[in-house]
Amino acid sequence: MDRITTSGLHMPKLGLGTWPMSGSGCTDAVLRALAIGYRHIDTAQMYGNEAEIGAALAQTDVKRADIHVTTKVSREFLAPDAMRRVAEESLRKLRLDYVDLYLIHWPAAGMDVQRAMESLMRLQAGGLAKHIGVSNFPVALMRRCIEEARAPIVCNQVEYHVMLDQTKVLAYARAHGIAVTAYCPLARGNLGEVEALARIARKHGATPAQIALKWLLDQDGVAAIPKASRAANQQENWDAQKIVLDGEDRAAIAALPKSRRIVNPAAGPKWDEAA
C-alpha cells in the first residue's frame, strides 16, 4: 500500500472512514477491513464509535505499530485542560496508549488559534499523539496555525472528491509539507450520475467509485478515507488501487464541474475567505 511520508508522518493513503458506523457492526467492519489489508482507520470523538473501534483493535492480530489510527477532538474542547481530558477519554475507548494523528475536527468561530495549537502541541509532547493536525480548515486558518502559531501540523482533513475543487488547500499544504486527507471521497454515493466517470469506468472494467477513488490516491500528498462497512464495498475500494489512469482519464475528470460541496454546516468555516 502506498503511504504518505511527510514531516515524519507515515500514513497509508487508503484508509477506512467510520462515520456513521456504530455498535458491533462497526467493530466487525473494522476487523474485516484489517483482514483485507487496510492499515489506516479514521474516527472522531463526535462519531461516538471509538469504543467499538477499540474493540476491533484489541481483537485483531495486526500489530499496533502497523496500524495508523486518527481521531479528532470536537471544537467545544479546544482549551488545554478540556482537550487533554477528551484525548485521554478517546485513548481509553480506543484501548490505545497513543493515536498516530490527532486533529481538531472543525474550527470554532472566533477561535483562539494560538491557544488551540498550544493544546495540540502539549498532547504531542506528552506522547498522547504522534502527530497533530486539523480538519475542515481553509487556507486562511491553516496559515495562522503554521505561520503565526508555529504548530507542527502534518495533516488537514477536508471534503475532497471529483466534484469539489480543493486546489488552494492542496497548494498551501504541499508547500508546507502537510498531507491532505479526503473525506467523502466518493461524494456519498452521488457519482453514478456522472457520465464521464461512467465512461472511464467502462474503459477500465471498474466502477465510477473506483475511478474517483484512484484519481485521489494518485495525487501527491493526498489520502482518502471512504466509509465502507460491507466486505464487498471495502474490497472494491481496496482494488481501486490497481487501476492505472491515463492522461485522457485525468483530463476528463479535470473538466468536471468542481463546486459541489456536500458537507457544509451553518457553523462551518468560510471556505472562500481570502487566503
Side-chain angles (χ1 to χ4, degrees):
M1 181 192 296
D2 288 340
R3 290 176 175 265
I4 292 174
T5 55
T6 181
S7 302
L9 181 69
H10 296 275
M11 181 172 68
K13 296 198 75 177
L14 178 61
L16 180 72
T18 63
W19 184 87
M21 298 181 194
S22 63
S24 61
C26 177
T27 300
D28 292 343
V30 173
L31 285 170
R32 282 193 293 268
L34 291 170
I36 288 171
Y38 287 77
R39 295 295 181 266
H40 175 174
I41 308 298
D42 182 89
T43 183
Q45 173 199 9
M46 70 175 292
Y47 295 173
N49 61 15
E50 289 172 319
E52 288 86 347
I53 290 169
L57 296 175
Q59 293 176 45
T60 184
D61 292 331
V62 180
K63 294 179 181 178
R64 168 67 186 101
D66 294 335
I67 305 174
H68 172 98
V69 179
T70 296
T71 194
K72 315 174 197 75
V73 58
S74 295
R75 57 185 158 205
E76 298 90 347
F77 303 99
L78 301 185
D81 291 345
M83 189 183 290
R84 185 175 184 90
R85 173 174 53 80
V86 168
E88 289 175 343
E89 181 180 354
S90 289
L91 289 175
R92 283 194 295 272
K93 290 179 178 178
L94 290 164
R95 308 189 197 186
L96 299 176
D97 296 325
Y98 66 90
V99 289
D100 299 273
L101 184 58
Y102 196 70
L103 310 178
I104 293 176
H105 203 155
W106 287 89
M111 66 183 291
D112 186 331
V113 172
Q114 180 73 42
R115 191 179 187 210
M117 292 301 105
E118 288 174 355
S119 298
L120 277 178
M121 288 187 279
R122 286 192 184 98
L123 294 183
Q124 185 178 27
L128 280 69
K130 279 192 171 182
H131 302 283
I132 56 175
V134 295
S135 180
N136 298 298
F137 275 45
V139 171
L141 275 177
M142 290 176 69
R143 177 172 285 113
R144 293 181 64 192
C145 295
I146 296 294
E147 299 175 27
E148 295 179 18
R150 303 293 180 183
I153 64 173
V154 299
C155 184
N156 187 8
Q157 186 177 124
V158 296
E159 179 183 346
Y160 185 31
H161 45 74
V162 296
M163 296 186 289
L164 182 64
D165 177 61
Q166 287 288 14
T167 302
K168 292 179 180 179
V169 168
L170 285 165
Y172 186 85
R174 286 170 178 155
H176 292 82
I178 299 171
V180 170
T181 298
Y183 72 77
C184 289
L186 306 182
R188 289 196 179 162
N190 291 308
L191 299 176
E193 63 195 57
V194 183
E195 179 54 33
L197 284 180
R199 287 197 302 270
I200 298 170
R202 289 192 293 269
K203 170 181 170 181
H204 291 279
T207 66
Q210 286 179 310
I211 298 302
L213 185 55
K214 188 55 162 60
W215 176 77
L216 288 168
L217 295 175
D218 279 348
Q219 296 178 42
D220 182 41
V222 175
I225 48 169
K227 175 262 179 182
S229 56
R230 296 177 58 245
N233 292 339
Q234 291 178 353
Q235 188 67 55
E236 179 179 310
N237 293 340
W238 182 260
D239 291 343
Q241 298 175 99
K242 304 173 185 176
I243 297 169
V244 180
L245 299 177
D246 58 30
E248 183 181 34
D249 301 330
R250 287 187 286 272
I253 294 172
L256 293 173
K258 294 284 191 294
S259 59
R260 186 165 185 175
R261 186 176 295 279
I262 294 171
V263 181
N264 196 22
K270 297 178 180 178
W271 286 102
D272 57 354
E273 186 177 15

